[in-house]
């Protein structure tokens, strides 16, 4: 893969300025923790909170009914963080399901990285993405649809990835940095063609049992908490339309406070690499699941 360097799409400040989001389209080496949301809190200054501010009433749904309240949690009760973890969510955006996750992020004042499905990135879901951006969240590439890309021809793989990146750029004015293969399925051709670092993570299992998941609140919570180490990437889903109720929002009510109690600071995936001083392109033909601290 080529060395990662991408620049802000001109006009991002105009697009998100009204909702207080600073663009994160910078080379990963330059991704300093920028103001994240209407309150302008820095991602390093809110110890253990990842810097996302409570932007009540932001686009994509307000506080009512999605787990957020006007007053966010107080991080004073938690220890000063000495470890890092990155929350990531797959398969959105969705105008109904994603706001339930955003409400939890807003309440607990943590950011996340959303791996988006290209066909779902459009004018209808744009307000949801605007709200996510106002909370300090970032957007990454999860291909254009849900099927795995393994075994496909070169043109099909390139179209799926490129069309997704184009949609994200069009509707968020930001450029995705990371790629998460659908179903975490990869082959040699995908590594050859997709010029982005691949991201996996601690798989929470918040998807139907027929696909290997264990979608109860208790199982998702235990799987994540038992699997996290310093520098872990957590892989959850904001959208699983076949699950009713969705276990993930409720699981976050335990996962986030417990990891804060254990001394974890929540950061975005890009911030995780930046804070660790690691080039995500340094690992070839492999999927990142953890970004360990320096020895």
């Amino acid at each position: 893969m080529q060395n990662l360097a991408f620049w802000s799409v001109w006009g991002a400040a105009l697009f998100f300025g009204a909702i207080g989001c600073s663009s994160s389209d910078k080379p990963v080496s330059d991704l300093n923790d920028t103001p994240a949301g209407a309150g302008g809190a820095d991602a390093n200054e809110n110890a253990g909170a990842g810097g996302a501010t409570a932007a009540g009433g932001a686009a994509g749904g307000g506080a009512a009914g999605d787990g957020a309240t006007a007053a966010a949690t107080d991080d004073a009760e938690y220890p000063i963080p000495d470890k890092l973890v990155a929350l990531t969510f797959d398969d959105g955006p969705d105008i109904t399901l994603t706001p339930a996750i955003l409400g939890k992020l807003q309440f607990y004042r943590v950011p996340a990285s959303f791996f988006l499905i290209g066909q779902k990135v459009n004018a209808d879901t744009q307000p949801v993405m605007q709200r996510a951006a106002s909370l300090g969240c970032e957007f990454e590439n999860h291909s254009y649809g849900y099927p795995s890309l393994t075994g496909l021809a070169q043109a099909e793989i390139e179209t799926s990835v490129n069309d997704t990146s184009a949609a994200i750029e069009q509707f968020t004015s930001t450029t995705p940095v990371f790629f998460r293969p659908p179903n975490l399925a990869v082959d040699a051709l995908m590594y050859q063609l997709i010029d982005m670092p691949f991201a996996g993570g601690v798989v929470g299992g918040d998807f139907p049992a027929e696909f290997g998941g264990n979608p109860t609140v208790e199982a998702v919570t235990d799987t994540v908490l038992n699997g996290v180490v310093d520098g872990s990437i957590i892989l959850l889903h904001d959208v699983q339309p076949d699950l009713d109720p969705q276990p993930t929002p409720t699981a976050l009510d335990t996962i986030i406070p417990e990891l804060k109690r254990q001394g974890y600071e929540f950061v975005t995936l890009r911030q995780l690499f930046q804070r660790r001083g690691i080039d995500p392109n340094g690992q070839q033909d492999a999927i990142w699941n953890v970004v360990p601290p320096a020895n």
Side-chain angles (χ1 to χ4, degrees):
M1 296 182 186
Q2 300 174 353
N3 187 42
L4 180 64
F6 65 94
W7 302 94
S8 296
V9 178
W10 183 254
L14 293 177
F15 182 80
F16 285 126
I19 55 173
C21 172
S22 61
S23 172
S24 56
D25 287 9
K26 306 175 185 177
V28 166
S29 60
D30 295 336
L31 281 177
N32 298 319
D33 298 328
T34 54
D42 186 273
N44 273 332
E45 291 174 350
N46 283 336
T53 60
D66 64 7
T69 65
T73 55
D74 183 2
D75 288 327
E77 64 183 280
Y78 301 112
I80 296 174
D82 58 359
K83 298 181 283 290
L84 299 176
V85 67
L87 267 177
T88 69
F89 296 94
D90 286 4
D91 292 353
D94 182 90
I95 60 174
T96 301
L97 300 176
T98 304
I101 298 296
L102 296 180
K104 300 300 183 180
L105 300 181
Q106 178 177 329
F107 180 76
Y108 292 110
R109 297 193 299 175
V110 300
S113 299
F114 286 85
F115 283 82
L116 305 183
I117 297 294
Q119 66 188 23
K120 296 179 71 66
V121 178
N122 52 51
D124 290 336
T125 56
Q126 189 175 38
V128 175
M129 293 179 285
Q130 289 176 331
R131 182 185 177 196
S134 78
L135 299 174
C137 299
E138 295 168 345
F139 309 111
E140 311 296 355
N141 191 315
H142 196 30
S143 85
Y144 201 76
Y146 296 99
S148 300
L149 302 184
T150 50
L152 298 184
Q154 174 176 339
E156 294 175 295
I157 295 172
E158 291 177 334
T159 296
S160 178
V161 175
N162 293 340
D163 285 358
T164 300
S165 289
I168 292 172
E169 291 170 359
Q170 177 182 355
F171 290 101
T172 74
S173 294
T174 66
T175 301
V177 176
F178 293 93
F179 176 75
R180 177 167 285 152
N183 308 308
L184 296 182
V186 297
D187 60 20
L189 184 58
M190 291 172 62
Y191 283 127
Q192 176 184 335
L193 297 176
I194 301 171
D195 192 22
M196 288 184 281
F198 287 41
V202 177
V203 180
D206 56 341
F207 45 87
E210 62 187 287
F211 301 114
N214 189 358
T216 68
V217 171
E218 294 77 11
V220 171
T221 300
D222 290 345
T223 298
V224 170
L225 293 180
N226 290 333
V228 165
V229 297
D230 189 6
S232 282
I233 303 165
I234 299 174
L235 193 165
L236 294 169
H237 295 78
D238 57 313
V239 176
Q240 282 292 296
D242 293 334
L243 296 180
D244 186 16
Q246 304 274 307
T248 312
T250 303
L252 291 175
D253 284 329
T254 300
I255 291 170
I256 296 175
E258 177 56 31
L259 289 179
K260 285 188 175 187
R261 278 191 287 270
Q262 293 180 22
Y264 281 92
E265 177 183 354
F266 287 84
V267 295
T268 66
L269 187 54
R270 301 181 202 182
Q271 291 169 343
L272 179 58
F273 281 90
Q274 189 275 331
R275 295 275 293 275
R276 287 282 150 90
I278 294 176
D279 180 359
N281 288 298
Q283 178 172 272
Q284 301 293 320
D285 297 347
I287 298 179
W288 287 99
N289 294 310
V290 62
V291 184
N295 294 327

